[in-house]
Amino acid sequence: MIGIIPARYSSTRFPGKPLMDLKGKLMIQRVYEGASKCNSLNKVIVATDDQRIFDAVKAFGGEVEMTSEEHRSGTDRCGEVAAKYNADVIVNIQGDEPLVNPGQIDMLCTTFKDETVNIATLGYTQVSMEDLDDINRVKVVCDRHGNALYFSRSPIPSTQRASEKMVTQFPFMRHIGLYAYRKETLTKLVQLTPCPLEQMEDLEQLRWMYYGFKIRVIPTSIETPNIDTPEDLERVINEL
């Protein structure tokens, strides 16, 4: 099993965030070091298309590979690097989560002992009402087997016709964008054509579901906040 951290310099909301200084360490370094503590991973690699990130990872002693500039997503970048390695399971670790929890990565990797699992991700169970209305907080609902039924930036399920008691008792989940895939599944995912549903929600995982791939969602009560905007930076620094 290997962990791959896709990292790009360009970002509409927060350019250059992988190289942001977080109390003496670059964000990409904190992600790399956190992922490297995972017992299940044999190797951790940063995948980037930017020379500045490549040089920074080399400077702190990490493994890094340069990838194509044409990739549309982190999954595509993972797919390019994964093709070079003999690994059964690939973990896609978000490059903007400096507080990544190695125990959560282990939990994802353990899920693949179930031979029916081809893709796995995490669902955070401590969801606030503010989270439900926040389009930057992706929500997920699952079937009785723990497989995702749908991901959305909107509140799901809708609470409009539910009683107050039902709303307070419902097990809402918020998606944490840490993915693991079997290598052969990842190879298929990167060949899929984007679909309208994915484009409406701006959520890549809906493409996979559209084409029939199941995503196992592992509940967790541990939050690993990501940095989407400069406003998120202060909160993460405080937690550090």
Side-chain angles (χ1 to χ4, degrees):
M1 296 185 180
I2 63 173
I4 301 176
I5 307 170
R8 63 190 185 98
Y9 191 90
S10 301
S11 170
T12 304
R13 289 177 294 182
F14 200 167
K17 63 181 177 178
L19 301 183
M20 290 294 300
D21 183 274
L22 297 179
K23 290 196 169 182
K25 290 186 179 182
L26 302 180
M27 179 162 70
I28 191 64
Q29 182 177 358
R30 290 196 176 275
V31 177
Y32 185 92
E33 292 177 350
S36 297
K37 294 176 183 177
C38 173
N39 295 322
S40 300
L41 298 179
N42 304 112
K43 184 186 289 289
V44 176
I45 307 161
V46 175
T48 187
D49 61 358
D50 190 277
Q51 191 65 46
R52 290 163 290 188
I53 296 175
F54 184 94
D55 293 341
V57 176
K58 283 290 188 182
F60 67 70
E63 290 200 42
V64 58
E65 294 206 15
M66 192 69 80
T67 58
S68 169
E69 296 180 357
E70 303 302 318
H71 293 313
R72 297 175 303 223
S73 69
T75 304
D76 294 333
R77 209 172 297 285
C78 283
E80 179 183 339
V81 173
K84 303 175 183 179
Y85 291 91
N86 183 21
D88 295 331
V89 174
I90 311 298
V91 183
N92 179 348
I93 301 159
Q94 300 298 311
D96 60 1
E97 293 194 2
L99 301 178
V100 60
N101 187 299
Q104 288 183 320
I105 300 175
D106 278 324
M107 188 164 54
L108 270 189
C109 291
T110 300
T111 306
F112 287 85
K113 291 180 180 178
D114 182 342
E115 294 183 357
T116 67
V117 175
N118 291 306
I119 309 172
T121 191
L122 296 173
Y124 181 59
T125 56
Q126 311 299 311
V127 181
S128 68
M129 291 298 106
E130 290 76 16
D131 284 337
L132 289 179
D133 293 323
D134 188 341
I135 64 169
N136 293 313
R137 301 292 184 248
V138 177
K139 279 67 68 174
V140 57
V141 289
C142 299
D143 65 17
R144 66 191 182 97
H145 300 294
N147 295 316
L149 288 169
Y150 193 66
F151 295 83
S152 181
R153 297 184 181 278
S154 300
I156 52 173
S158 170
T159 61
Q160 295 301 308
R161 306 189 71 171
S163 67
E164 183 177 347
K165 180 180 179 181
M166 189 176 279
V167 171
T168 57
Q169 292 181 348
F170 189 85
F172 292 101
M173 278 202 297
R174 177 158 60 79
H175 183 222
I176 295 177
L178 183 68
Y179 293 104
Y181 338 77
R182 295 195 189 275
K183 183 179 177 180
E184 60 267 29
T185 300
L186 177 57
T187 301
K188 295 174 183 177
L189 296 181
V190 298
Q191 297 176 21
L192 299 175
T193 304
C195 67
L197 191 60
E198 164 198 6
Q199 294 165 337
M200 282 288 289
E201 290 266 19
D202 190 24
L203 295 174
E204 178 189 18
Q205 61 270 39
L206 293 178
R207 183 195 317 175
W208 313 337
M209 295 176 65
Y210 178 83
Y211 287 103
F213 290 89
K214 291 185 179 296
I215 303 174
R216 181 66 53 85
V217 181
I218 311 303
T220 179
S221 59
I222 302 171
E223 182 176 25
T224 53
N226 61 324
I227 299 177
D228 280 328
T229 65
E231 290 71 31
D232 295 328
L233 187 60
E234 183 177 353
R235 180 165 64 105
V236 170
I237 288 176
N238 288 337
E239 293 202 32
L240 284 171

